[in-house]
Amino acid sequence: MTDFTPRVFSGIKPSGGLTLGNYLGAIKRWVDMQGQMESIYCVVDLHAVTVWQDPAALKTGTREIAAGMLASGIDPATSVLFNQSQVHQHAELSWVFNCVARVGWMDRMTQFKDKAGSNAQKVSLGLYAYPSLMAADILLYHATHVPVGEDQKQHVELTRDIAAKFNHDFKTDFFPMTEPVIDGPATRVMNLRDGSKKMSKSGESDMERINMLDDADTIAKKFKKAKTDPAPLPETLEGLKDRPEARNLVDIYAALSDQTSEAVIAEYAGAGWGRFKPALADLAVDKLAPISTEMRRLLDDPAEIDRLLGEGAEKARAIAAPILDRTYDIVGFLRS
Ligand code: AQP
């Protein structure tokens, strides 16, 4: 068996502004992992265009996601940070994987079913093939670990299926079996107005999410208006079992304050929302304001963000190119 160097890959698609879900479920954990192993972080713009994106907004959104990563503590000198479309090898490897993955595997992807809904015949072919591109993103760098939110677990499992089938079909052990890393209290941050849906960038109402660029008043207003139930907070986490909206706010508090949800319940047992919601809003403003201030500063100089992404893309290509070359050799593509 080949030994693979421990390496992290993860990404965020610029399909809207960065949310608290992206921050707690992904970026904050990337920052914690940075330095523990080689890390590659990507603004996955090829994924964004699986649904319609206004071209100018896509460019702005790409810079905003990159600014969010930088402002949160991703260091471009330690980690590789770039946008996906600047490294053409992602699209090329994904074509090979389109020919390895089976239609039946794609049919099982719950995110496609959620996003396509009853409109499956009218959505783009790209949205259907999305998990194959995600497998390419990961395996192009022989990444061994992928920190993601709960919603992406099925796609990382599919990545393993694709790697296993490729290795089996071509009698090789070229691609690693990547591990999803899903931990902490906020692996699934929920919509503030409906605790059965996850918080998304592209959700219909702005009140259902906290955007990383929201100001203090907006954050306070959104938490104040977040859906809850009349009961106070219980003595134990068990008491939140059938209270998804309440559980979500406790989990957000825990993730922002680097505590477990049990510790938060122990501190606020018996408290009503009149006490908990303002405490949560203050905590969120305290943690997010320095990030949004830095994001705004970075966004004032788009040329510098573009330069950093270009430099990152060069480093990414240096890792990706030999892996794609070797894949082409294994597949049998003739190159003169
Ligand atoms: N609500 C969430 N809770 C925890 N983690 C989340 N992530 C996204 N939403 C939550 C994690 O953020 C990373 C990047 O996700 P993405 O932007 O590439 O895709 P997504 O999961 O489809 O995000 P959105 O916000 O829901 O985008 P739209 O609305 O455009 O589809 C991933 O690690 C994801 O798990």
Side-chain angles (χ1 to χ4, degrees):
M1 276 300 280
T2 310
D3 269 339
F4 293 95
T5 311
R7 187 180 279 157
V8 173
F9 178 92
S10 203
I12 296 186
K13 63 182 192 298
S15 47
L18 210 53
T19 70
L20 184 64
N22 299 134
Y23 175 66
L24 294 178
I27 302 180
K28 183 170 186 294
R29 296 165 52 232
W30 302 353
V31 174
D32 295 341
M33 290 175 87
Q34 196 171 227
Q36 288 172 25
M37 54 183 115
E38 196 183 339
S39 305
I40 302 171
Y41 296 121
C42 188
V43 185
V44 287
D45 46 7
L46 297 179
H47 285 276
V49 299
T50 53
V51 299
W52 169 251
Q53 302 295 332
D54 170 77
L58 180 61
K59 267 199 186 129
T60 318
T62 300
R63 292 189 186 110
E64 182 182 324
I65 304 287
M69 294 179 185
L70 291 163
S72 303
I74 297 297
D75 175 1
T78 311
S79 301
V80 178
L81 173 62
F82 67 105
N83 61 308
Q84 188 185 23
S85 60
Q86 295 210 65
V87 180
H88 60 83
Q89 287 86 352
H90 286 252
E92 290 182 56
L93 186 60
S94 95
W95 179 255
V96 173
F97 288 169
N98 281 343
C99 302
V100 172
R102 307 287 93 181
V103 168
W105 300 358
M106 297 293 165
D107 283 342
R108 287 198 293 275
M109 294 299 111
T110 53
Q111 191 181 71
F112 178 75
K113 289 182 200 159
D114 290 348
K115 293 208 173 205
S118 54
N119 211 19
Q121 294 300 311
K122 298 225 170 109
V123 298
S124 75
L125 185 56
L127 190 68
Y128 187 66
Y130 183 116
S132 168
L133 176 60
M134 180 163 157
D137 300 337
I138 296 165
L139 295 172
L140 187 56
Y141 301 96
H142 279 181
T144 54
H145 296 77
V146 181
V148 280
E150 187 66 43
D151 58 318
Q152 294 294 339
K153 184 170 180 226
Q154 196 185 30
H155 291 163
V156 183
E157 283 163 0
L158 187 98
T159 299
R160 293 165 63 95
D161 291 341
I162 290 176
K165 182 160 164 49
F166 181 98
N167 287 351
H168 176 268
D169 289 353
F170 294 100
K171 299 184 181 45
T172 176
D173 55 4
F174 186 59
F175 287 116
M177 290 297 122
T178 307
E179 294 290 339
V181 184
I182 301 170
D183 53 22
T187 54
R188 193 168 169 82
V189 177
M190 306 310 279
N191 178 322
L192 297 180
R193 309 296 290 200
D194 177 351
S196 70
K197 293 189 188 147
K198 78 162 189 152
M199 184 183 286
S200 274
K201 292 182 214 89
S202 57
E204 258 164 49
S205 157
D206 197 54
M207 290 303 284
E208 70 190 42
R209 63 182 162 263
I210 303 287
N211 303 300
M212 294 302 286
L213 284 174
D214 281 345
D215 61 28
D217 288 348
T218 309
I219 292 176
K221 187 170 88 190
K222 286 181 177 176
F223 278 127
K224 190 169 170 213
K225 292 199 179 278
K227 184 178 167 200
T228 39
D229 50 45
L233 284 168
E235 300 285 320
T236 64
L237 217 47
E238 186 59 15
L240 290 178
K241 202 159 72 63
D242 299 315
R243 300 172 62 189
E245 285 87 9
R247 174 70 201 240
N248 187 39
L249 296 187
V250 168
D251 288 345
I252 292 175
Y253 191 106
L256 282 170
S257 58
D258 289 310
Q259 301 180 70
T260 60
S261 301
E262 284 83 355
V264 176
I265 279 291
E267 187 182 342
Y268 285 97
W273 296 110
R275 184 175 150 222
F276 187 76
K277 281 182 169 179
L280 174 59
D282 286 350
L283 173 67
V285 169
D286 196 45
K287 297 286 175 178
L288 303 184
I291 299 175
S292 61
T293 305
E294 177 62 3
M295 277 176 80
R296 283 193 194 90
R297 191 191 68 77
L298 291 164
L299 288 167
D300 272 348
D301 188 357
E304 176 59 9
I305 298 181
D306 297 0
R307 190 192 65 76
L308 285 171
L309 291 174
E311 235 176 54
E314 212 168 296
K315 290 188 209 162
R317 281 192 296 267
I319 305 171
I323 292 180
L324 185 71
D325 276 354
R326 180 72 193 118
T327 308
Y328 275 20
D329 285 340
I330 293 170
V331 170
F333 290 144
L334 185 148
R335 278 158 314 131
S336 306

